[in-house]
Amino acid sequence: EKGGYPDFMLKEIHEQPRVIRDTLAGRLVGGALSIDELDLSVEELNLIDRVYIIACGTSYHAGLIAKNLIEGWARIPCECEVASEFRYRNPIITPTTLVVAVSQSGETADTLAAIRDARVKGARVFGITNVVGSPVARESDGVIYTKANKEIAVASTKSFLGQVVSLTLLAMLLAQVKGKLKMNQIRLLFRELADTAEQVERILAECGPAVEEAAQACKDARSALFVGRGMGAAVSREGALKLKEISYLHAESYPAGEMKHGPIALIDEGFPVIAVATKSPVYDKLVSNLQESKARGAMVVAIATEGDEEIRKHADHVIYIPKVRDAFSAITASVPLQLLARAIAVARGCDVDQPRNLAKSVTVE
Ligand code: F6R
């Protein structure tokens, strides 16, 4: 049932191009985006003036990526918050607030409690879940199903990508309704989003040797820092979570610009710094952060854009991925980080599908 793969995690990582295609199928109708399941009229959508994305763990990281897109494209203030915090504070919710609850399992206790609370306070709630008929689906005003199909490995990979693509569609829809993106821009974005399926296929086919080399370099470390800026900062959060979950290696993520405000003190000879260093508007800033780490002895692994030779001066190991628009870079850049976490875990002799102390769904608080 592992389809010839040594573990479910690797099988599920390889299903991601299919997940992207299935998530996008049927969404562009007559040149316009359509998400019928949302059950809100264009007028109601147009009134939305605040968005909260609430989720836990990996799903929360998908939300961090979407926050950038919702604010960037639709120009609606958007916060992304972990459900266990959201439910116990007093967020500002009005009838024009949209709460987007993201949950693979659709039964995470904190996320469900946050949905209930938000509805009592009058928010409209959209659920994004992978499980048809799950509590999150039943208790939301509208639901988008991620098309990941059943995910068996405890560490989430293909559902994460399904969530990112679904949230990207939602951000585009909000921008379309608000008139912030023109129809021709929506069509262009949609085409490029669809192209990421092929780009992920290429990453899966080509980046194995570079991932393995980086994994060998990291496997005996005691700790690793993941850094990025902009979209890369959000992606690096997920990279660190994946690594700690399955390899038991301590990992944390920092926006690269924060390094000199504390974390750089950790860096000594050979300390792994894993950087999401794809071409973006903040690429040069990131490179100067890498130089600062390297000058203190860091062993830098960079996820970089194909054709970027300069990055080799600042990194010991480079994993190249195809060039995509910055808005879609989370989709491509997260794939080598999933593979890297898995390769390090395998090299350390860990059971990647069943990490200790973790359950696939967390139905207790
Ligand atoms: C990480 C992971 C967890 C879940 C989190 C939320 O790989 O799987 O962090 O993302 O427990 O679960 P859902 O999305 O089911 O609400």
Side-chain angles (χ1 to χ4, degrees), residues 56-59 103-106 108 154-156 163 241-242 245 362:
C56 305
T58 287
S59 303
S103 174
Q104 184 283 127
S105 63
T108 298
V154 167
S156 179
Q163 291 167 344
L241 178 63
K242 224 58 328 151
E245 276 184 293
V362 184

Side-chain angles (χ1 to χ4, degrees), residues 241-261:
L241 178 63
K242 224 58 328 151
L243 183 62
K244 67 184 128 193
E245 276 184 293
I246 60 171
S247 76
Y248 316 139
L249 207 154
H250 169 255
E252 63 179 317
S253 157
Y254 265 90
E258 274 290 293
M259 287 292 284
K260 58 168 80 66
H261 300 288

